[in-house]
């Protein structure tokens, strides 16, 4: 199978790493990719938002499967353009991807499907914003209706900060605060069959102790030793299947990766948000534990044959990812700094690695050195028999990497590993 992955972050590196270890994959391509992905896949220059260009590249490569990683190309209809050329694409249509592209649309779908979620108001005027903020009170949860690269949400007890963020959005969703720990649960679906993956937890705040501004994610771990063993079954019945069924009923079936961001509240499970693609950095830890070869699962989802897929197999151990971010992230990041201490990682010995680096915002400079090229630069991922072992391996590798001005959290999975 020839596979083309679209995107250039750590999520795509994780996907490419797993696909490179799949014996069914005979050729692996990525566009545009990054410095780390280049070690396991052939890179191609393409505008990931240009559906015609992506479809043309896939056709020229005679790809058997195209995997669209990021949300923006999905919302732009890139998967549709690939399918129109007769090539299977893993990723929802532009219409179905509105589940992530518009939080108001997602709320409408959840209401129709009876999916438990936070009460919310959709606001477009200052008066509506003030009324909604007053109705819910602090802490305020303010979400940009559209895509915002994981940074469109503000949770604050400061009314002025909440109002400022809301006024900066063209359309904004203001909702009640959900208490309790958060869980990410992915499911692969072909629009009918729904196949859940293993739950993970990520860390959105920039600083230790869940302090500082929201980010795209500073680390993650899986599995969740504290979670109810029945959690996945409950979410399948109350969230994932009803949502997939409702989108199919509307004539916009969802095929691809459905990501449910959940809050385990005192009143039960509630949906915080949906995403239409693999999450970052949760993908890094989920795929690190997946033993089932990935390519056939994604292809079966893309061709409507997911019901034929046997149950997924998982390792008994744990996985932890720690994100190394560039100076000033999540503000405007400093780029172009040389990254030192990266381990040599060839495709041949990847399967045996207990700790490895997945590249996010990286590139090579004129001298061939790997340099920072974005806000989140690296995802250091490790596996182990338990969370404590995986966590120790991840942080040991983090300590060997040098990037001027960089920062990372030191408490990823600490609480779960000690419980």
């Amino acid at each position: 199978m020839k596979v083309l992955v679209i995107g250039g972050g750590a999520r795509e590196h994780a996907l490419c790493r797993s696909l490179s270890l799949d014996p069914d994959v005979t050729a692996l391509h990525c566009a545009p990719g990054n410095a780390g992905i280049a070690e396991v896949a052939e890179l191609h220059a393409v505008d990931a938002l240009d559906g015609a260009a992506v479809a043309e590249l896939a056709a020229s490569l005679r790809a058997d499967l195209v995997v669209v990683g990021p949300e923006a190309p999905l919302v732009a209809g890139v998967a549709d353009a690939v399918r129109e050329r007769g090539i299977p694409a893993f990723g929802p249509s532009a219409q179905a991807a509105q589940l992530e592209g518009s939080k108001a649309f997602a709320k409408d779908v959840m209401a129709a499907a009876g999916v438990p979620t936070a009460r919310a108001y959709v606001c477009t005027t200052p008066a509506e914003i003030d009324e909604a903020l007053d109705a819910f009170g602090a802490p305020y949860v303010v979400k940009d209706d559209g895509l915002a690269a994981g940074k469109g949400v503000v949770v604050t007890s400061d009314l002025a900060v909440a109002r400022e963020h809301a006024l900066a959005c063209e359309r904004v969703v203001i909702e009640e605060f959900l208490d309790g720990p958060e869980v990410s649960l992915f499911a692969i679906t072909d629009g009918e069959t729904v196949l859940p993956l293993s739950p993970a937890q990520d860390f959105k705040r920039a600083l230790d102790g869940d302090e500082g501004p929201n980010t795209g994610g500073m680390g993650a771990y899986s599995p969740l030793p504290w979670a109810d063993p029945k959690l996945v079954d409950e979410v399948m019945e109350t969230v994932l299947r009803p949502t997939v069924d409702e989108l199919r009923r509307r004539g916009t079936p969802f095929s691809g990766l459905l990501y449910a961001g959940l809050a385990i509240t005192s009143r039960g499970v509630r949906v915080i948000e949906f995403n239409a693609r693999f999450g970052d950095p949760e993908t890094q830890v989920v795929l690190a534990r997946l033993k089932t070869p990935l390519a056939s699962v994604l292809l079966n989802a893309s061709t409507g044959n997911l019901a034929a897929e046997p149950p997924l197999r998982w390792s008994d151990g744990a996985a932890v990812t720690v994100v190394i971010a560039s100076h000033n992230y999540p503000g405007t990041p400093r780029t172009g700094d040389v990254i030192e201490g990266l381990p040599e990682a060839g495709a041949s010995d990847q399967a045996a690695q207990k700790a490895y680096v997945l590249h996010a915002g990286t590139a090579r400079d004129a001298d061939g050195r790997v340099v920072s090229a974005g806000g989140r630069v690296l995802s250091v991922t490790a596996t182990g028999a338990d969370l404590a072992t995986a966590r120790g391996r991840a942080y040991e590798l983090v300590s060997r990497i040098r990037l001027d001005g960089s920062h990372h959290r030191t408490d990823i999975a600490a609480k779960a590993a000690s419980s």
Side-chain angles (χ1 to χ4, degrees):
M1 192 189 305
K2 295 178 182 177
V3 182
L4 169 62
V5 176
I6 302 301
R11 164 187 45 230
E12 288 75 36
H13 194 176
L15 287 164
C16 285
R17 180 182 186 274
S18 291
L19 290 166
S20 73
L21 298 172
D22 188 332
D24 286 340
V25 176
T26 55
L28 182 58
H29 302 268
C30 187
N34 61 39
I37 295 174
E39 297 177 352
V40 295
E42 182 179 344
L43 301 191
H44 303 269
V46 75
D47 180 355
L49 295 173
D50 187 336
V54 171
E56 183 59 35
L57 174 61
S60 70
L61 294 173
R62 298 187 177 182
D64 300 299
L65 173 66
V66 176
V67 180
V68 183
E71 60 273 24
L74 290 168
V75 172
V78 169
D80 301 278
V82 172
R83 281 189 282 266
E84 286 168 7
R85 292 291 291 265
I87 302 169
F90 183 80
S93 66
Q95 283 184 303
Q98 284 302 304
L99 203 59
E100 178 171 3
S102 169
K103 293 175 179 62
F105 175 78
K107 288 289 186 184
D108 184 64
V109 169
M110 284 187 272
V115 171
T117 187
R119 293 178 298 121
Y121 293 104
V122 179
C123 307
T124 56
T125 69
E128 290 174 345
I129 288 169
D130 289 340
E131 185 178 346
L133 292 171
D134 183 61
F136 288 130
Y140 305 100
V141 181
V142 184
K143 300 181 176 182
D144 191 328
D145 179 57
L147 294 178
K151 290 176 281 187
V153 179
V154 166
V155 180
T156 179
S157 294
D158 188 322
L159 176 60
V161 171
R163 191 171 190 274
E164 180 183 19
H165 182 66
L167 291 171
C169 302
E170 187 173 328
R171 187 159 76 151
V172 66
V173 175
I174 297 173
E175 61 185 40
E176 67 175 326
F177 176 76
L178 297 175
D179 64 324
E182 295 184 13
V183 173
S184 300
L185 183 61
F186 301 165
I188 292 172
T189 179
D190 59 5
E192 291 197 18
T193 300
V194 182
L195 197 63
L197 304 186
S198 183
Q201 185 174 59
D202 76 334
F203 295 75
K204 288 294 187 192
R205 299 283 187 168
L207 307 176
D208 285 2
D210 291 327
E211 299 289 336
N214 263 344
T215 71
M218 294 299 292
Y221 70 93
S222 179
L224 311 180
W226 50 267
D228 187 328
K230 298 177 182 176
L231 175 64
V232 173
D233 290 340
E234 179 185 350
V235 175
M236 280 285 287
E237 293 306 314
T238 64
V239 175
L240 296 173
R241 282 201 186 99
T243 300
V244 170
D245 291 347
E246 172 62 20
L247 286 167
R248 188 175 66 251
R249 186 191 68 77
R250 293 179 177 218
T252 57
F254 189 104
S255 170
L257 193 290
L258 178 58
Y259 166 134
L262 310 165
I264 314 301
T265 77
S266 55
R267 294 171 293 147
V269 174
R270 297 287 186 271
V271 175
I272 301 170
E273 64 175 354
F274 282 126
N275 289 336
R277 39 72 194 180
F278 280 101
D280 182 347
E282 299 99 318
T283 300
Q284 290 86 300
V285 292
V286 171
L287 293 186
R289 297 185 54 239
L290 180 65
K291 295 176 71 174
T292 300
L294 186 61
S296 67
V297 182
L298 302 186
L299 182 63
N300 282 335
S302 304
T303 55
N305 296 313
L306 198 58
E309 188 66 36
L312 298 178
R313 294 180 294 113
W314 299 92
S315 73
D316 293 330
V320 173
T321 286
V322 179
V323 170
I324 298 177
S326 57
H327 176 73
N328 200 44
Y329 178 79
T332 303
R334 191 175 78 203
T335 60
D337 289 311
V338 175
I339 306 168
E340 298 177 319
L342 289 172
E344 294 297 324
S348 60
D349 64 350
Q350 279 194 87
Q353 290 176 341
K354 297 288 194 289
Y356 49 89
V357 176
L358 297 169
H359 291 231
T362 68
R364 288 196 181 270
D365 66 9
D367 298 320
R369 299 174 301 180
V370 179
V371 298
S372 60
R376 292 186 294 173
V377 181
L378 302 169
S379 283
V380 179
T381 302
T383 57
D386 51 39
L387 280 174
T389 304
R391 187 172 182 276
R393 287 173 176 160
Y395 277 106
E396 196 280 326
L397 183 49
V398 167
S399 71
R400 289 191 267 142
I401 296 170
R402 295 174 300 283
L403 171 61
D404 187 47
S406 68
H407 63 98
H408 64 271
R409 284 185 57 160
T410 66
D411 62 347
I412 303 300
K415 186 177 179 181
S418 62
S419 62

